[in-house]
Amino acid sequence: MKSISVKVGLIYIFFSVLNISFYTVSIYIEQIGLIIKNRELEALLQTEKVYLPLKYSLLSSPEINLHKITKTELINKINRVLAEIANQEYLIFTEKGELLYKSSEDLILDEKNRTDAISAISNSEFMNQPYLLQTDNTDEVELYIPVQTGER
């Protein structure tokens, strides 16, 4: 190890490995950020595909007065709209936790659903947000759309 060329070569290899490691970590961190942003945008796109048809054909339709409609009529109208949009699983329940409809027998109404539904109602009334979108660490998107009718 007395030769200077061996020392310079080892230092060069060390800095080359360090440089490659730095760029690899930087690219990895940037890719994670892009994946997270892509997932958020995909969830928002899926949400809008469900919310907008409901809004225009049911929630803000001039032909339908939600304060004079019964729960059964509302459920039927929601089912017709959602059947046209996508083949997705959903629950329809009241703010009191009464299950009105479930699209699949595998679905259950748990405490988390009730809590998120209450948050959606609060967001709708106090922050003027029409729905609550929940994305956990899975590919599932949970969308809560509060609908106020005259029947309680």
Side-chain angles (χ1 to χ4, degrees), residues 9-146:
L10 288 175
I11 291 173
Y12 177 79
I13 291 172
F14 172 74
F15 281 120
S16 296
V17 169
L18 186 66
N19 192 20
I20 291 170
S21 300
F22 173 75
Y23 282 113
T24 303
V25 169
S26 296
I27 290 171
Y28 178 73
I29 290 171
E30 186 65 29
Q31 285 291 324
I32 289 175
L34 289 173
I35 289 170
I36 290 170
K37 187 58 113 175
N38 187 30
R39 184 165 179 258
E40 289 172 355
L41 291 174
E42 184 65 33
L44 189 59
L45 178 65
Q46 288 177 5
T47 299
E48 292 298 319
K49 281 183 180 179
V50 172
Y51 175 70
L52 290 178
L54 277 175
K55 177 183 176 188
Y56 293 123
S57 64
L58 183 69
L59 301 179
S60 60
S61 173
E63 299 111 24
I64 299 173
N65 186 349
L66 290 177
H67 296 290
K68 293 182 180 177
I69 195 170
T70 65
K71 287 180 185 177
T72 307
E73 290 173 322
L74 180 65
I75 291 168
N76 291 336
K77 290 182 185 299
I78 290 173
N79 285 336
R80 268 188 258 130
V81 171
L82 291 178
E84 293 173 9
I85 298 169
N87 187 13
Q88 302 200 1
E89 296 179 338
Y90 57 94
L91 295 171
I92 301 174
F93 56 95
T94 65
E95 69 273 6
K96 295 175 185 163
E98 175 189 355
L99 183 63
L100 301 176
Y101 180 82
K102 61 181 177 177
S103 64
S104 171
E105 291 299 319
D106 298 337
L107 295 174
I108 57 169
L109 179 62
D110 58 6
E111 191 61 35
K112 181 186 179 309
N113 294 126
R114 290 187 197 110
T115 305
D116 290 339
I118 291 170
S119 297
I121 293 169
S122 298
N123 286 354
S124 174
E125 292 178 358
F126 298 116
M127 295 190 290
N128 204 22
Q129 294 178 342
Y131 56 80
L132 176 68
L133 175 66
Q134 296 283 352
T135 57
D136 295 327
N137 292 330
T138 63
D139 289 336
E140 293 181 5
V141 175
E142 294 180 359
L143 176 63
Y144 298 89
I145 303 173

